[in-house]
Amino acid sequence: QGAAEVEQGKFEKQVEIHTHDELEDLGNAFNKMAKGLKRLRELQEEFVFIAAHDLRAPVTVIKGYLSMVLGGDTGPLNDKMKDYLGETNRANERLAKLVEDLLEVARSEAGRIEIKLSPIDIQVSAREVVQEIKPLADEKSILINYEEPTGALPKVLSDSGRVKEVLVNLISNAIKYTANNGEVKVFQEVKGNEVITHVKDNGFGISKEAQEKLFEKF
């Protein structure tokens, strides 16, 4: 049982063996190993948090200067310069997103992530995300549609910002893994005391192996 807990990343459980022989020695060694693994994980999380936090500053500075140059503050740009700087800006945006993701993972694992619960209209959240992400679908000629429920949905207790993050991830992945001229649907239903939001596409799906890793980091 103790080994199973360690396999799942739970290092707090101590095994209790009092046989005054090599089995008890093994149990003590197991507990020392679990304690060492816990400390290693804490050091890893601390490193990720510090690294991501320190990366945020230069990424923000690069973004600021690129914005000024592209805005014409340093003088006119020819088309080739605009293209190159545009690509640089997009790469920096991706890097900024990765840094934020790293920080979110570090905050989550350190128990510092903030969830601000309040009654929200999840229809509004879904509608706004679909509208925001529609240009991605248009690039691939994918039809994206939010199917409005027939009646008003009850308010749900949630964090509006976090809900939108989840929806952006699900819908952007649906678009990414659906072939051109495909279709993505977002719709909702009430089941018991829950409001279920569905994201459905006609893409090529996720392999069984990948499904097992869906809720792992990155």
Side-chain angles (χ1 to χ4, degrees):
Q1 187 183 355
E5 296 248 344
V6 167
E7 184 188 8
Q8 293 168 18
K10 300 172 185 174
F11 305 119
E12 291 75 20
K13 186 174 178 63
Q14 298 282 294
V15 298
E16 299 287 341
I17 301 174
H18 304 291
T19 54
H20 306 294
D21 58 13
E22 64 271 18
L23 280 178
E24 184 171 336
D25 293 339
L26 180 63
N28 292 333
F30 181 92
N31 290 335
K32 284 181 183 176
M33 177 197 70
K35 188 176 179 182
L37 287 171
K38 184 183 178 186
R39 180 60 186 146
L40 278 174
R41 186 175 67 179
E42 287 168 353
L43 287 169
Q44 180 189 14
E45 288 169 3
E46 188 179 345
F47 168 76
V48 171
F49 190 80
I50 292 169
H53 196 269
D54 286 351
L55 278 169
R56 185 195 254 173
V59 166
T60 304
V61 171
I62 292 167
K63 180 180 179 178
Y65 279 109
L66 280 170
S67 177
M68 287 192 289
V69 174
L70 285 165
D73 290 11
T74 57
L77 303 172
N78 61 43
D79 289 344
K80 184 174 277 190
M81 290 162 72
K82 284 180 183 175
D83 287 345
Y84 287 174
L85 286 169
E87 286 298 325
T88 305
N89 193 43
R90 282 187 284 276
N92 191 61
E93 289 287 349
R94 288 195 294 273
L95 182 57
K97 178 72 171 65
L98 178 60
V99 170
E100 284 303 318
D101 284 349
L102 283 168
L103 274 171
E104 282 296 287
V105 167
R107 286 191 195 106
S108 175
E109 295 192 339
R112 299 185 205 171
I113 199 163
E114 284 188 48
I115 305 291
K116 297 176 182 175
L117 294 177
S118 63
I120 68 165
D121 186 338
I122 200 162
Q123 284 177 256
V124 172
S125 300
R127 199 182 298 124
E128 286 177 354
V129 170
V130 168
Q131 201 58 39
E132 176 188 323
I133 221 158
K134 191 174 182 297
L136 282 179
D138 291 343
E139 283 178 17
K140 295 179 68 178
S141 300
I142 288 172
L143 179 65
I144 183 167
N145 185 31
Y146 172 53
E147 296 182 352
E148 298 275 354
T150 50
L153 294 176
K155 293 276 181 81
V156 299
L157 191 63
S158 189
D159 181 320
S160 178
R162 299 292 178 189
V163 163
K164 284 184 176 179
E165 282 179 24
V166 172
L167 286 172
V168 165
N169 276 319
L170 290 172
I171 298 170
S172 61
N173 274 331
I175 293 167
K176 184 177 179 180
Y177 296 106
T178 296
N180 290 6
N181 303 305
E183 186 176 9
V184 174
K185 288 181 184 177
V186 181
F187 57 98
Q188 287 151 327
E189 64 172 330
V190 178
K191 274 192 176 180
N193 63 346
E194 294 183 335
V195 176
I196 314 291
T197 300
H198 300 270
V199 178
K200 184 178 180 181
D201 63 67
N202 58 359
F204 48 80
I206 305 170
S207 69
K208 288 280 186 189
E209 295 77 16
Q211 283 178 36
E212 292 170 7
K213 299 177 181 178
L214 268 179
F215 295 101
E216 291 183 8
K217 284 178 286 188
F218 306 109

